[in-house]
Amino acid sequence: AVLEKSGFEVRVFDLNPHHDRDISSLEAFAPEVVGMTVLTDYVVRARHVSRLIKEKLPEAILFVGGVHVSALPAESLREFSADYAVVGEGEYVMRDVCGHISRGERKKITDLPGIVWNDRGSVRVNPPSAFIDDLDAIPFPARHLLPFENYLLPPGIIRGKWTERSTTVMTSRGCPFSCIWCGGQTTFGRKVRRRSVANVIGEIEQLIGRYGVDAVWFVDDTFTLNKAWVMEFCDTLKAKNIRLSWGCQAHVKTADEAIFKKMKQSGLVQLDFGVESGSDVVLKDLRKDSTAEEIARAFRVAKKCGIRTCATFIFGAPVETREDVQKTFDLAQRIKPNF
């Protein structure tokens, strides 16, 4: 969306995990620049696709980015035979990259923050780019560049809850918590930056008006961090009579009956909590910043407000014993999540 707004011709190819059907379309487009997002669970697939890109489009400049690349930049540059890698938030970095290329200034790419590059056999990792503070300045995702109807099929994106035409929206970036397994801070950092309520509502209205979306799952690491923001958001949904089913992720420490009731009244159908373990020893080792009792309380509050709950768990923590595993089973039975 940022590249399109900056005047560049852009296509999006969401390559199927199991076949190479869209490679021919990419080849026909013949772009000067190809950017490929890499998630860790798709590394093998990404390696295959990057080889195809280099084979079919030898003149194209290949950039790789995303969470996996941000966590392992030097390794990723080599593994995917990329010309460059981008660490962290890529919107403005790629805008500047494409600006340099369009002006015939490719050598200047290596001066940009957030760029990883090969300097005569040595991988150079430039200082990171600054996090984007004004998220309202970023245009809404360019969903029109995809056959977006194909992404709106049931059972939907809210785990365990049937919806007909659902999608995801991100209202903030960054997470203040320090859970040791999470890579969120690798891309978005610890400082939480929020879009304005008006900006988020604008995207939701576009989704409903253009695509008939009836449900949204908010992908923020912790949607409920800023209570004043959540209250304003819920009040605005009701004031505008926006009929939307929605779900989000919440940390158990943010459980608040007044907030949860307001969320329920504005269309919230499910809260997802990262429970992880029923053992306080394991929770401390994971730096989860919660206890089993706090978890139980959060589920009680959600149930009291008539909100479905989803609980996620982690097994195999470094300090975990059989007794800790049993405590997790016991807590799961005690809190009785819907999913």
Side-chain angles (χ1 to χ4, degrees), residues 44-247:
V44 174
R45 175 66 178 159
R47 194 185 303 132
H48 170 74
V49 170
S50 64
R51 282 200 299 266
L52 281 178
I53 290 170
K54 283 295 185 181
E55 174 191 331
K56 304 288 187 182
L57 296 163
E59 301 300 317
I61 306 170
L62 176 61
F63 285 77
V64 291
V67 180
H68 182 83
V69 174
S70 295
L72 300 168
E75 293 91 331
S76 297
L77 189 73
R78 297 189 187 98
E79 183 168 17
F80 306 117
S81 302
D83 297 290
Y84 304 93
V86 177
V87 173
E89 295 177 331
E91 288 94 346
Y92 292 165
V93 175
M94 287 307 296
R95 177 197 62 190
D96 295 342
V97 159
C98 291
H100 284 320
I101 292 171
S102 69
R103 294 188 295 270
E105 302 169 343
R106 179 171 171 176
K107 288 184 177 180
K108 291 187 177 181
I109 293 174
T110 56
D111 296 331
L112 293 173
I115 290 289
V116 182
W117 52 292
N118 196 320
D119 181 14
R120 296 186 293 274
S122 297
V123 175
R124 307 289 187 191
V125 181
N126 287 2
S129 59
F131 290 116
I132 301 170
D133 282 324
D134 184 7
L135 297 182
D136 282 10
I138 301 174
F140 300 154
R143 297 179 173 94
H144 60 278
L145 295 179
L146 290 164
F148 198 61
E149 285 290 319
N150 297 347
Y151 295 79
L152 299 174
L153 303 175
I157 202 76
I158 301 174
R159 291 176 288 192
K161 178 69 175 175
W162 183 281
T163 56
E164 294 289 334
R165 296 175 66 81
S166 67
T167 189
T168 58
V169 170
M170 182 178 285
T171 76
S172 67
R173 294 181 178 183
C175 180
F177 296 103
S178 303
C179 309
I180 64 172
W181 73 88
C182 181
Q185 80 287 346
T186 306
T187 306
F188 292 139
R190 303 252 183 240
K191 178 186 175 184
V192 179
R193 294 153 287 139
R194 292 215 74 100
R195 296 166 59 188
S196 68
V197 167
N199 184 260
V200 175
I201 293 292
E203 183 178 355
I204 289 171
E205 289 176 326
Q206 183 192 85
L207 287 168
I208 294 172
R210 187 176 295 179
Y211 301 109
V213 165
D214 63 1
V216 164
W217 190 62
F218 293 103
V219 296
D220 307 47
D221 288 321
T222 310
F223 186 84
T224 50
L225 276 174
N226 186 323
K227 293 182 179 181
W229 189 96
V230 174
M231 294 288 255
E232 182 188 349
F233 173 73
C234 294
D235 286 341
T236 306
L237 281 177
K238 287 194 69 177
K240 285 180 166 281
N241 198 29
I242 295 174
R243 300 186 182 279
L244 183 78
S245 296
W246 56 281

